[in-house]
Amino acid sequence: MEKVKLALPTEAQIAWQNLELGMFFHFGMNTFCDQEWGEGTDSPELFNPKEFDARQWVKLAKDAGFKYVILTAKHHDGFCLWPTKTTDYSVKSSPWKDGKGDVVREVADACKEEDMHFGIYVSPWDRHEPCYQDKEAYDDFYCEQLNELMTQYGPMMEVWFDGAGSEGRVYDWDRMIGIIKKHQPNAMIFNMGQPTIRWVGNEEGLAPYPCWNTESAAKISMFSDDKVDWLPGTPDWLPAECDVPIRKLHWFWHPNDEDSLRTLDELMHIYYNSVGHGTNLLLNVSPDDRGLIPDIDAKRLLEFSSELKSRFSNSLGSTFGQGQKLELTLENETSIDHIILMEDISFGERVRKFELEALVDEEWVSIGEGSAIGHKYIKQTNGIKTRRLKLTITESVETPMIKEFTCYRSEKK
């Protein structure tokens, strides 16, 4: 057995990975302009979500089984969803609530009420701000925005930095990351500066397999093959997050876009290839120009939640342990259709190769093999009938530490 120095996660990283499901809320000026990337020239007068209800958003996320939400506090157009002191291009210049509204505050408060973790997306690229062309001036400007967000809205689970539009741009990441570490030391930092989590590299919500937690590089955006230049001191343990919109065509709400809503089967495919490959899934659901999640999207989310419960609520048996072999014996011979494996990642990723077997007609039959287990590995088994299952670790670094070996039978609807 090979013995090496393994990368280990922090307690904050483990807590984040245990959440597994996050919901993205893309909302802002684009919502009112039928566009994805505004140029920063749209009038604040257009922003007026007359039925705005952050509690509807967050309660829906919770009811659907999601554990954290991330709000686009500022997208590339530079329009700020909080009454920042840094610019007039914000909600304070809009007719919404007579310029006294604060979207970030209301979403943060709703998360607190619903016991949901809260995070923000704050675009480094700013197409509205005139000083963006002056590197030092903009770094001051952006750091002040970060400081406002990190100090005024309570605990943050995640700060999401989008690299789009910033290809080739060098920001004062030392200073920016310092603000986050000072005020939100437990917040995950997404993909830029000195990240603690990384982008999976696509916007389809799909992680490759294996998807190791120790990748040392990530793409900066969809629009370049360039890798992100991370600061020295970026941790070796760097789990991935898969972001994907529930409507295939867009991140922001658009009228007459309902036909692009992903089917339940498509969402399940995404789940198996994100959470089932050990990553977190960040599913985007866009509030409309009323300030509400559309009924059709809400219905699909609850269908997704119901399907997950039907497949993963009926545990037939579970075990855990350390070493190269682990057996799971059920009370009765029965049909199983899912197996979940989890390593105790507090000890790092130790498994390198494994095989799953089932005892069928008194003979051990291979039902799957793989490499990475990490936080979670989900195997579909097509209803194999058995009473005994066996996990054999055929290659590892140090003693394998299996936190969970569980099998399920889906509940019939």
Side-chain angles (χ1 to χ4, degrees):
M1 184 187 304
E2 184 184 359
K3 187 174 179 63
V4 299
K5 184 177 180 181
L6 289 171
L8 301 176
T10 63
E11 289 185 8
Q13 286 175 315
I14 292 174
W16 178 84
Q17 288 187 261
N18 285 338
L19 299 177
E20 296 187 348
L21 290 174
M23 191 170 290
F24 222 166
F25 294 133
H26 271 64
F27 185 67
M29 185 61 71
N30 292 329
T31 306
F32 300 86
C33 300
D34 196 12
Q35 63 193 14
E36 289 288 286
W37 280 14
E39 296 181 0
T41 57
D42 299 301
S43 171
E45 292 290 328
L46 298 172
F47 186 87
N48 194 14
K50 296 180 180 179
E51 298 176 55
F52 178 83
D53 186 355
R55 286 164 182 78
Q56 185 239 9
W57 309 2
V58 176
K59 186 176 187 304
L60 175 62
K62 183 175 183 177
D63 289 347
F66 289 72
K67 304 301 183 184
Y68 65 103
V69 303
I70 295 177
L71 170 70
T72 52
K74 184 184 82 164
H75 204 253
H76 309 318
D77 54 23
F79 185 79
C80 297
L81 295 186
W82 77 103
T84 175
K85 294 179 180 178
T86 62
T87 177
D88 289 333
Y89 199 54
S90 78
V91 287
K92 68 184 179 184
S93 298
S94 77
W96 178 59
K97 296 193 173 183
D98 296 322
K100 296 179 174 60
D102 186 339
V103 175
V104 179
R105 168 66 58 208
E106 296 206 29
V107 177
D109 287 350
C111 285
K112 185 176 181 180
E113 289 181 14
E114 294 292 341
D115 195 25
M116 291 280 283
H117 296 287
F118 176 57
I120 58 164
Y121 167 122
V122 52
S123 173
W125 184 33
D126 191 319
R127 305 181 81 181
H128 172 83
E129 178 51 43
C131 79
Y132 185 78
Q133 304 308 320
D134 182 331
K135 181 186 179 311
E136 290 187 4
Y138 183 73
D139 283 341
D140 288 343
F141 173 90
Y142 188 73
C143 283
E144 184 54 36
Q145 290 190 335
L146 269 184
N147 193 67
E148 290 177 352
L149 290 167
M150 294 302 106
T151 60
Q152 297 176 16
Y153 297 96
M156 298 274 178
M157 170 56 66
E158 184 172 336
V159 181
W160 218 93
F161 292 118
D162 190 341
S166 293
E167 299 87 354
R169 173 74 175 232
V170 179
Y171 300 97
D172 189 352
W173 283 114
D174 280 305
R175 187 174 164 198
M176 295 171 187
I177 298 301
I179 291 170
I180 298 171
K181 287 186 173 182
K182 178 180 178 181
H183 299 294
Q184 300 288 343
N186 292 320
M188 293 296 100
I189 299 171
F190 179 85
N191 211 52
M192 302 280 277
Q194 194 179 68
T196 51
I197 58 176
R198 73 181 194 276
W199 183 42
V200 78
N202 63 71
E203 294 182 347
E204 299 301 318
L206 307 177
Y209 183 78
C211 188
W212 302 105
N213 287 293
T214 51
E215 290 290 340
S216 58
K219 288 175 60 177
I220 189 170
S221 76
M222 289 289 292
F223 310 100
S224 171
D225 289 328
D226 292 346
K227 303 296 183 181
V228 190
D229 292 325
W230 290 326
L231 294 178
T234 295
D236 293 330
W237 186 274
L238 213 59
E241 184 177 58
C242 296
D243 59 320
V244 58
I246 196 169
R247 296 193 184 190
K248 300 176 190 177
L249 299 180
H250 301 120
W251 290 89
F252 286 90
W253 176 81
H254 293 255
N256 306 313
D257 190 24
E258 293 86 354
D259 289 346
S260 74
L261 185 67
R262 295 183 193 273
T263 66
L264 179 57
D265 285 344
E266 287 172 327
L267 291 177
M268 289 306 303
H269 175 74
I270 288 169
Y271 180 84
Y272 284 122
N273 288 277
S274 54
V275 175
H277 287 175
T279 72
N280 280 26
L281 171 60
L282 183 62
L283 180 65
N284 183 73
V285 182
S286 301
D288 60 23
D289 56 358
R290 299 172 300 166
L292 299 172
I293 304 293
D295 290 344
I296 187 172
D297 300 65
K299 181 181 178 182
R300 184 57 40 82
L301 280 170
L302 295 176
E303 290 171 349
F304 178 50
S305 173
S306 177
E307 187 64 26
L308 287 176
K309 289 176 183 176
S310 75
R311 298 190 191 193
F312 297 105
S313 292
N314 186 22
S315 170
L316 301 172
S318 185
T319 190
F320 63 93
Q322 62 184 51
Q324 304 302 121
K325 290 188 178 182
L326 202 55
E327 286 198 23
L328 174 57
T329 301
L330 310 181
E331 289 186 8
N332 301 294
E333 186 175 70
T334 188
S335 178
I336 65 172
D337 48 33
H338 289 89
I339 294 171
I340 288 182
L341 301 177
M342 299 177 72
E343 285 189 75
D344 186 340
I345 58 173
S346 64
F347 294 94
E349 285 185 296
R350 297 189 170 193
V351 177
R352 293 294 181 267
K353 288 184 182 179
F354 67 89
E355 183 178 17
L356 281 165
E357 297 172 277
L359 191 65
V360 179
D361 296 329
E362 302 305 318
E363 291 187 10
W364 286 107
V365 176
S366 178
I367 57 174
E369 58 184 21
S371 50
I373 294 178
H375 169 70
K376 180 168 283 189
Y377 171 86
I378 300 177
K379 171 67 180 176
Q380 294 178 272
T381 62
N382 298 319
I384 192 166
K385 197 170 185 180
T386 187
R387 187 169 179 264
R388 292 174 65 191
L389 295 163
K390 182 164 59 177
L391 169 65
T392 303
I393 311 300
T394 56
E395 185 178 325
S396 67
V397 288
E398 302 191 25
T399 303
M401 309 291 284
I402 303 302
K403 178 182 178 181
E404 181 178 326
F405 177 13
T406 305
C407 65
Y408 297 84
R409 181 181 65 240
S410 298
E411 297 176 341
K412 296 186 182 295
K413 295 184 177 179

